[in-house]
Amino acid sequence: MLPGQLSNQEGLEPVLDVSYVRLLDTPAASAQTSNILGAIGYGVPRPGVLPPSCPFASAPLASAGGEALEIWRTSSPCRAVNLGPVAGACSDGLTFGVMTLNDTRAAPLEDIVEDAYHSIFDFLYETGFTSPLRFWNYLTRITQEDYGLERYRRFNIGRQRALSKRSREALPAAASGVGGTLGESVIYFLAAPAPARPVENPRQVSAFAYPPIYGPQSPSFSRASVYRHGGTALMFISGTASIVGHESRHVGDLSGQTAETIENLRTVTAAADIIKASRWAFKIYLRDPAHRDVVDLALRAAFGDEPKRLYLHGEICRPELLVEIEAFCHAE
């Protein structure tokens, strides 16, 4: 890779792709960056390699392997669209947006989150990309209590309030909700003009149907979603962990949790009823970065060496869970 370039290992540009790259902080030619929908930094501020108009945020999670940049690209040029607190970009058929939450202000977290999601839906309806495909919710201090209730549970209340008022879909989009300790909380998303097909895992209770022991409001996300864009189907798998039914399994056992998580990834992929999945990209959240080698060995054994992998040090929303894995792939 030449200085100033962003890696694109596959050659021909797909309709949507994600890259996980190390940062080379030198200017890049506009031809290399005109099709970037957005980027997220892990352990890095905004890099000079991105054009000024490109949506970007520093996530509160650190990479488990040095500074890293997550870059979403499309096959067509992107135009910047900023609306209120949301910085976004649109291509011919997809949009990306990101916003930082000021969740330290003197207001209940659920109110802050509801306001944030209203801003996101304002952006979606203004741009015409009215159907969210995928959300990433990175919340600082996710398992700490605010006034007697865990922050993640307050987050779920605020998210559902907004979705019940603004979403036009019968079921929620795929999503991840992970904690971090760096900087500010961040929400980012991908959306399209038409809805994705939601997919559930037959081994698990749907997250939006969890019993009340997990809080006054169940988490609002589908286990996965499949969206057809042109001749390609895009599959987004939500944050997936060692959960069967609605209960955590293999408490204290990293190898057992990793194997159960991989089984859930395979099961939800099978439930999506696709012929073939390719261009896999995994994002792995580790409670302890020292667990990386164990998880990486299991992932390689299950999916081979070709898939992209980004390891992050994150606080998973259930304290007994040691690893969570999400995925993106092209499907047929």
Side-chain angles (χ1 to χ4, degrees), residues 90-298:
C90 301
S91 69
D92 287 344
L94 295 162
T95 192
F96 175 99
V98 61
M99 67 177 296
T100 300
L101 269 64
N102 179 14
D103 56 355
T104 59
R105 63 184 171 93
L109 180 62
E110 54 266 42
D111 292 349
I112 295 170
V113 171
E114 181 179 3
D115 289 346
Y117 267 82
H118 279 303
S119 294
I120 289 169
F121 278 99
D122 288 344
F123 174 93
L124 296 177
Y125 295 149
E126 180 69 22
T127 58
F129 294 88
T130 55
S131 297
L133 303 178
R134 182 67 160 90
F135 284 105
W136 289 264
N137 305 281
Y138 292 152
L139 189 66
T140 59
R141 300 175 289 117
I142 193 169
T143 57
Q144 292 185 20
E145 287 193 358
D146 274 355
Y147 304 103
L149 187 64
E150 184 186 67
R151 281 170 58 81
Y152 180 61
R153 298 185 179 196
R154 290 191 179 278
F155 168 84
N156 286 328
I157 293 170
R159 170 171 59 178
Q160 180 55 29
R161 282 181 187 169
L163 292 178
S164 65
K165 297 172 184 175
R166 304 295 300 278
S167 177
R168 299 175 182 174
E169 316 303 339
L171 294 173
S176 295
V178 183
T181 59
L182 307 174
E184 298 178 283
S185 300
V186 167
I187 300 175
Y188 67 105
F189 59 89
L190 288 162
R197 173 170 58 88
V199 180
E200 289 302 306
N201 184 340
R203 302 181 79 234
Q204 297 178 312
V205 173
S206 297
F208 49 78
Y210 276 174
I213 59 172
Y214 299 105
Q217 173 60 59
S218 298
S220 301
F221 68 91
S222 295
R223 296 295 181 187
S225 62
V226 177
Y227 179 69
R228 185 159 293 280
H229 181 56
T232 303
L234 309 172
M235 184 171 180
F236 304 90
I237 300 180
S238 298
T240 301
S242 179
I243 296 172
V244 178
H246 58 76
E247 297 176 337
S248 302
R249 297 290 178 91
H250 310 288
V251 174
D253 177 2
L254 176 63
S255 295
Q257 288 195 20
T258 303
E260 198 75 74
T261 301
I262 289 172
E263 182 62 24
N264 279 328
L265 291 169
R266 285 176 162 163
T267 302
V268 77
T269 302
D273 194 25
I274 57 177
I275 298 172
K276 180 182 178 182
S278 62
R279 294 179 180 268
W280 282 97
F282 295 103
K283 193 154 51 168
I284 305 99
Y285 305 99
L286 301 172
R287 187 171 296 279
D288 183 348
H291 292 161
R292 173 176 173 161
D293 289 348
V294 172
V295 177
D296 193 63
L297 186 64

Side-chain angles (χ1 to χ4, degrees), residues 316-330:
I316 301 166
C317 61
R318 294 189 187 185
E320 71 274 14
L321 293 176
L322 303 174
V323 59
E324 180 175 315
I325 303 174
E326 65 180 54
F328 166 72
C329 67
H330 291 150

